[in-house]
Amino acid sequence: MPRYRVKFSKDGPARYSSHLDMVRFFDRSTRRAGIPVAFSEGFNPHPKFSFAAPLPVGVAGLEEYMDMELKEYLEPAEIARRLEVNLPEGYTILDIKEVADHAPALMSRVSRAAYRATATLPAGYSEVELKAAIDGLMDKQEITVIREVKGKRKEVDIRPGIFRLAGGVKGHILEINMELLIGSTGNVRPEEVLLKLSRDGGVPVDPEDFRIRRTALYAEGDAGLVSLWEV
Amino acid sequence: MNKLEKILARVEKPGRYVGGEWNAVKKDWDQVAVKMAFAFPDVYEVGMSHLGLQILYHVVNKRKDALMERVFAPWVDMEEQLRKEKLLLFSLESQRPLADFDILGFTLQYEMSFSNILNMMDLAGLPVRSAHRDNTMPLVIAGGPCAFNPEPLADFIDLFVIGEGEEVIHELIDAYKEMKQRGANRREMLLKFAQTIPGIYVPSLYEVKYNNDNTVASVTPMKEGVPGRIGKRVVRDFDNVDFPTNPIVPSMGVVHDRAMVEVLRGCTRGCRFCQAGVLYRPVREKKPETLIRQVEEMISSTGHDEISLTSLSTADYTGVAPLVKNLLDIYGERGVNVSLPSLRLDAFSIDLAKEVQKVRKSGLTFAPEAGTQRLRDVINKNVTEQNLVDAVSSAFKNGWSSVKLYFMIGLPTETYEDLDGIADMAKKVVQIGRECGVPRGRLKVTVSTSSFVPKSHTAFQWEPQNTLQELRDKQKYLKEKLRDKSITYNWHDPETSFLEAVFAKGDRRLGAVLESAWTKGARFDGWSEHFDYGLWMEAFAEEKIDPRWYAYRRISYDEVLPWDHIEAGVSKRFLIREHKKAMAGQPTVDCRSGRCPGCGLCPTLEIKPTILGGAEIAPIQGEV
């Protein structure tokens, strides 16, 4: 069955819906659009969609990916044309292409995510202080966070999963850019890094007060990182 | 980042407050003359499952000169954030404060949502009492089933709409628009609406007098031209009435997440405890071709994967079997399921269920309501034990292994023998299951009991409710009796049912109690995790009102009831006769049979039931 890769963005009110809600959106949008999505067999058939990595509720995604299988072939441009007019507010289709039937699942290839977090610059806080806080965090050998897994509290070291952390001030906006581990080998959530910067690094902004966007998703290629679009 | 974004990052399920759903309507605010907000006094997931919201939203937004936006009760975490950040409660579509609207309309589905109504007004920055609101503020109106006894809310709501809303709302908007252009103030408007629009009740225009024994002496209009009795509105041409085939598709999982098509309105069965059965009379069926067209429009406009054929009793629809078959033929291929919300207790219903649940047998629910034939005759639930035996045998033989049975406890005249009947029925179902070869491990019978709440406009409106202790004893008794590996027993919190009865049969004096309980923190009383019975009892004590007087008193037929001036079309004389027949254990005919039980509704409202291909019913005229 023909398989397609869809690059899309999710922002505005849509960023407040959960991953599960988004799967339901796509199911309904494709049905409205008359796109013949393939369904799994069994008692509880579900549409053959596969996503790269769930977006946390509240985080916008500027370049997100999903693969979908159809029952019959349609030109990618035709899928895009039908889908665009049937998506709720906040979703945009950026690109669609056909991929090989046996291409590896997005979920198994995604390994790194880039995030940009912005907040209003607190009065009296400077870029120098922000950079010091970031350096202080990155200099650590180990950064432990507490996660709740199945009701149990567990300590996790997120330092190996922080590949890049940088920050700066643009006018009245404080901006932090991160590249973090994502996928089958583990996850670092952007809020975890922001919480460390605020609690341990003295950045005077609550993690909730940052507006977070996921700007890119990557996989390991033969010659370094590649965009998931290229996988 | 604005204040709203800040607080959305701090609440669970922020999707409840942002709108932007498919088919939501966002209009140019300045181009519209009349702005309405539809307020649902419960969370998004509950409100978005409500067909009435979708109907009114569609009907109003179809007009060029009006708009309707939505607002739901913010969950407790959101309320905390709104109050902390001093943000006013806003609508989903334009995110405007509710005070900017012309009309704020609450739907009254359930007595236990009343505290949320006060809370939402307060969060909107509006005084909760009608008398304290001024001309700069929206008119606060309300409708829905609980508007048939509006008295406990009389101090807070400016105007009630009695009966079905989809036609009267146009008359209200037209009149509002005209009066607004003339610069009329709210007093003038309310008086004019009460005088000229049928089905409108403005409580501030009526004086209530009480007798020494606390009963109501009279409810009389204080101005000329204001009707002494307010009759309900009812849609005459139900087949052609505007129906939302482009409903809003919720952006998050909601309670009923499917396309809802209203197959018929009303129910002919005449169960004596049932308020909806009276309020939505007469029964009106849509034509099958209308339904097929509406379903098609709805599926293509929403993308839903399930069609629910909704009504009070869908299996009673004249052409239900061909309709279901037809829909399955059309949509089965397209991966769209058909569902029936309720089943009758008969083999016919099992055949229907068999059609719609071909693959996944998810479980069947039946409502015998009472455990013995004697008590079923009292409540006029015309099913027999044989019906149950046939239905469950057929279900088990056709592959179902789990069955749910719904009963009510505390019904008038109930004895422990009737409770034994519930246990016997449940055990009998288990036994039938075993005989039909359902494996022991898979066989599951769930018994749920709710507690009888006497409601206004029913034959049981004069009946007392069981006391808390009586209900607890009965639940305990059943718990013992239903001890069986294959049986699960669920029951309702009796305190909630008690408060529901108090407000269902309450009068204006309860307004003070409601306000006091809300001030003390009552919210989401229908949610057991938030319901605080002690707080309500404090409020009653402070206002020196005994709630037991409302729920536990046997009322005499000649007493003036607080809701007597609100008419559902069924005559009080008929209800008295029904009550007497109940006490004598006599059933009453179903008007679908072609024989008229003489409820008085058709001659009063000058309407007839619409039953497709059914016998013409000649309503009994005059006295019965």
Side-chain angles (χ1 to χ4, degrees):
Chain A
M1 276 184 279
R3 182 167 148 194
Y4 301 85
R5 182 148 304 160
V6 182
K7 178 154 77 168
F8 65 96
S9 65
K10 180 188 181 218
D11 204 350
R15 84 190 133 104
Y16 293 109
S17 51
S18 69
H19 182 69
L20 207 71
D21 293 332
M22 185 178 72
V23 176
R24 231 183 340 239
F25 274 6
F26 273 102
D27 175 36
R28 288 174 183 164
S29 300
T30 48
R31 191 170 296 107
R32 285 195 294 265
I35 295 169
V37 174
F39 274 73
S40 66
E41 304 282 321
F43 280 158
N44 224 337
H46 53 268
K48 288 199 170 178
F49 297 148
S50 66
F51 292 82
L55 260 180
V57 173
V59 176
L62 303 190
E63 285 186 10
E64 295 293 307
Y65 301 91
M66 75 178 280
D67 281 1
M68 66 174 161
E69 278 182 48
L70 301 191
K71 284 189 268 198
E72 56 198 67
Y73 182 80
L74 277 183
E75 287 289 338
E78 174 64 12
I79 301 175
R81 194 186 62 79
R82 290 195 201 174
L83 205 48
E84 258 160 12
V85 292
N86 277 293
L87 285 172
E89 197 180 331
Y91 287 95
T92 314
I93 299 296
L94 303 171
D95 210 347
I96 300 186
K97 68 175 180 183
E98 201 182 354
V99 291
D101 202 13
H102 56 268
L106 288 166
M107 214 183 308
S108 69
R109 292 299 311 274
V110 67
S111 64
R112 191 181 288 200
Y115 298 91
R116 183 162 70 242
T118 53
T120 311
L121 182 72
Y125 195 66
S126 72
E127 191 166 76
V128 178
E129 287 169 281
L130 175 66
K131 285 192 187 297
I134 288 173
D135 289 344
L137 193 67
M138 291 302 274
D139 282 346
K140 289 189 178 166
Q141 294 298 308
E142 203 180 81
I143 305 172
T144 36
V145 296
I146 311 282
R147 282 188 193 159
E148 223 165 278
V149 184
K150 287 175 193 157
K152 277 187 195 156
R153 291 158 71 84
K154 207 177 118 190
E155 284 196 353
V156 183
D157 177 17
I158 60 167
R159 179 64 189 85
I162 306 176
F163 304 115
R164 184 172 163 264
L165 186 61
V169 170
K170 289 178 185 164
H172 296 293
I173 301 293
L174 183 154
E175 181 178 305
I176 294 170
N177 286 293
M178 304 167 247
E179 284 183 23
L180 307 175
L181 177 69
I182 198 167
S184 50
T185 55
N187 273 298
V188 176
R189 295 167 59 95
E191 300 94 308
E192 290 175 326
V193 179
L194 295 173
L195 185 67
K196 282 286 161 190
L197 281 174
S198 137
R199 290 264 175 85
D200 303 350
V203 177
V205 182
D206 287 341
E208 290 93 346
D209 291 338
F210 279 98
R211 176 181 260 232
I212 309 172
R213 297 171 181 84
R214 185 150 81 188
T215 53
L217 288 167
Y218 303 103
E220 304 293 339
D222 296 334
L225 287 180
V226 291
S227 159
L228 270 190
W229 183 248
E230 308 298 337
V231 171
Chain B
M1 196 175 225
N2 61 32
K3 264 190 188 176
L4 177 58
E5 284 180 87
K6 256 182 134 142
I7 68 174
L8 288 175
R10 288 172 166 82
V11 297
E12 63 168 298
K13 302 192 184 173
R16 285 166 168 167
Y17 314 105
V18 295
E21 305 98 321
W22 186 255
N23 285 338
V25 181
K26 230 180 195 172
K27 290 195 176 181
D28 185 347
W29 187 267
D30 299 319
Q31 298 302 311
V32 169
V34 181
K35 291 117 178 164
M36 285 188 79
F38 185 104
F40 199 102
D42 209 318
V43 283
Y44 180 89
E45 297 94 307
V46 175
M48 284 305 292
S49 304
H50 177 58
L51 182 58
L53 180 158
Q54 300 273 13
I55 292 176
L56 292 176
Y57 190 79
H58 166 77
V59 160
V60 174
N61 282 322
K62 238 180 109 174
R63 291 175 69 120
K64 283 220 162 60
D65 60 350
L67 66 75
M68 181 178 269
E69 303 195 354
R70 293 161 298 151
V71 59
F72 301 91
W75 192 242
V76 287
D77 60 345
M78 184 65 171
E79 176 183 348
E80 194 191 318
Q81 293 293 331
L82 287 169
R83 292 193 189 278
K84 202 171 113 194
E85 295 292 330
K86 298 193 167 43
L87 263 183
L88 292 172
L89 187 60
F90 53 89
S91 67
L92 260 52
E93 281 77 0
S94 64
Q95 298 186 341
R96 275 172 195 271
L98 300 184
D100 288 1
F101 288 81
D102 295 308
I103 301 171
L104 174 59
F106 284 96
T107 180
L108 309 176
Q109 296 298 316
Y110 182 38
E111 289 82 2
M112 303 307 279
S113 66
F114 288 177
S115 61
N116 278 4
I117 295 177
L118 269 55
N119 201 38
M120 287 172 80
M121 284 199 257
D122 185 58
L123 283 167
L126 300 171
V128 297
R129 287 191 170 259
S130 190
H132 299 161
R133 292 191 291 268
D134 64 33
N135 285 323
T136 66
M137 296 169 184
L139 279 188
V140 178
I141 73 171
C146 294
F148 280 85
N149 179 21
E151 294 305 285
L153 290 173
D155 294 343
F156 313 104
I157 303 290
D158 300 330
L159 171 163
F160 291 92
V161 176
I162 310 301
E164 295 168 355
E166 56 259 81
E167 291 173 343
V168 62
I169 200 159
H170 287 304
E171 295 161 38
L172 198 59
I173 291 172
D174 289 340
Y176 183 93
K177 192 174 148 189
E178 201 240 329
M179 302 239 2
K180 190 183 171 188
Q181 278 161 355
R182 280 203 276 131
N185 66 33
R186 60 198 290 128
R187 268 181 196 289
E188 293 162 343
M189 280 190 187
L190 289 170
L191 178 62
K192 182 83 178 175
F193 299 159
Q195 286 168 331
T196 57
I197 307 176
I200 297 297
Y201 173 55
V202 177
S204 58
L205 296 174
Y206 295 76
E207 185 188 19
V208 183
K209 287 199 178 121
Y210 300 94
N211 297 311
N212 286 336
D213 65 357
N214 268 331
T215 56
V216 173
S218 63
V219 180
T220 26
M222 296 184 289
K223 294 256 160 109
E224 201 155 320
V226 174
R229 294 185 161 249
I230 300 93
K232 78 172 176 191
R233 294 298 297 259
V234 52
V235 171
R236 276 156 207 287
D237 188 357
F238 186 61
D239 193 58
N240 278 310
V241 78
D242 219 345
F243 188 78
T245 54
N246 57 343
I248 307 164
V249 183
S251 58
M252 56 188 285
V254 299
V255 182
H256 297 299
D257 207 352
R258 49 188 86 108
M260 288 181 275
V261 60
E262 195 181 11
V263 177
L264 71 155
R265 197 171 283 180
C267 175
T268 55
R269 305 224 145 216
C271 296
R272 291 175 178 133
F273 56 82
C274 180
Q275 192 191 39
V278 174
L279 305 189
Y280 295 101
R281 275 185 199 199
V283 75
R284 286 149 290 161
E285 298 186 342
K286 272 188 201 162
K287 291 182 186 141
E289 54 270 29
T290 308
L291 293 168
I292 297 276
R293 176 173 48 79
Q294 291 181 344
V295 167
E296 179 55 40
E297 287 174 19
M298 209 177 288
I299 293 301
S300 55
S301 78
T302 62
H304 273 299
D305 62 358
E306 188 176 340
I307 311 154
S308 176
L309 303 177
T310 65
S311 74
L312 291 171
S313 178
T314 301
D316 283 344
Y317 177 68
T318 303
V320 67
L323 176 69
V324 166
K325 196 177 173 311
N326 218 333
L327 290 173
L328 287 167
D329 286 347
I330 302 171
Y331 297 102
E333 277 296 292
R334 288 155 66 176
V336 178
N337 297 314
V338 177
S339 70
L340 300 163
S342 61
L343 286 177
R344 267 185 347 216
L345 247 180
D346 55 26
F348 171 74
S349 290
I350 303 300
D351 286 341
L352 272 183
K354 224 162 74 188
E355 284 289 322
V356 303
Q357 297 188 12
K358 264 194 182 119
V359 192
R360 198 164 20 130
K361 308 257 194 249
S362 54
L364 291 178
T365 302
F366 299 107
E369 308 288 5
T372 59
Q373 195 59 49
R374 184 201 68 79
L375 191 51
R376 285 194 295 274
D377 288 340
V378 168
I379 63 176
N380 200 39
K381 180 87 189 182
N382 293 320
V383 298
T384 61
E385 185 160 316
Q386 194 56 43
N387 293 145
L388 176 75
V389 170
D390 293 347
V392 296
S393 307
S394 171
F396 288 134
K397 281 178 195 150
N398 282 293
W400 276 277
S401 55
S402 80
V403 167
K404 280 187 194 153
L405 301 173
Y406 276 44
F407 295 94
M408 242 182 243
I409 58 168
L411 283 164
T413 77
E414 184 185 62
T415 66
Y416 275 72
E417 270 173 42
D418 301 302
L419 301 183
D420 291 340
I422 293 176
D424 292 345
M425 269 179 129
K427 284 179 185 156
K428 189 153 201 167
V429 173
V430 171
Q431 191 198 330
I432 295 169
R434 292 207 182 116
E435 284 165 13
C436 292
V438 181
R440 231 164 236 272
R442 278 183 47 214
L443 181 62
K444 201 180 150 202
V445 177
T446 306
V447 175
S448 297
T449 61
S450 62
S451 305
F452 166 69
V453 176
K455 298 261 171 165
S456 73
H457 302 87
T458 67
F460 289 163
Q461 61 185 350
W462 298 280
E463 283 288 325
Q465 190 181 38
N466 273 181
T467 63
L468 289 177
Q469 196 51 50
E470 284 168 332
L471 290 172
R472 280 192 209 109
D473 289 346
K474 287 178 178 182
Q475 289 170 343
K476 204 174 146 212
Y477 182 78
L478 277 174
K479 213 159 74 179
E480 290 292 323
K481 280 251 163 188
L482 291 169
R483 215 166 261 176
D484 185 302
K485 269 198 186 118
S486 304
I487 302 176
T488 313
Y489 175 48
N490 302 322
W491 62 91
H492 280 216
D493 172 25
E495 284 84 2
T496 309
S497 307
F498 172 51
L499 213 58
E500 201 184 321
V502 173
F503 278 91
K505 298 212 285 176
D507 55 38
R508 278 189 191 197
R509 292 167 297 191
L510 291 186
V513 179
L514 176 59
E515 188 175 5
S516 160
W518 163 71
T519 312
K520 291 172 187 299
R523 315 258 183 290
F524 288 104
D525 295 304
W527 295 72
S528 53
E529 71 231 71
H530 288 297
F531 178 58
D532 184 344
Y533 181 67
L535 172 161
W536 276 98
M537 290 307 108
E538 269 174 46
F540 278 106
E542 273 172 29
E543 298 302 326
K544 300 196 172 51
I545 285 179
D546 183 1
R548 293 170 303 180
W549 186 78
Y550 289 92
Y552 298 159
R553 185 171 49 100
R554 179 173 296 285
I555 302 172
S556 72
Y557 293 143
D558 48 16
E559 197 177 308
V560 175
L561 301 171
W563 54 88
D564 269 348
H565 56 300
I566 308 292
E567 295 190 330
V570 169
S571 72
K572 196 168 181 183
R573 203 181 291 268
F574 173 77
L575 294 179
I576 291 173
R577 200 177 55 148
E578 278 295 286
H579 185 254
K580 288 178 177 165
K581 281 171 86 179
M583 294 306 118
Q586 292 167 3
T588 291
V589 291
D590 181 335
C591 83
R592 198 176 270 279
S593 68
R595 284 186 294 156
C596 172
C599 75
L601 181 123
C602 294
T604 303
L605 301 180
E606 294 173 353
I607 195 170
K608 273 186 181 183
T610 321
I611 298 172
L612 301 171
E616 184 78 4
I617 301 161
I620 298 171
Q621 303 289 329
E623 297 285 297
V624 289

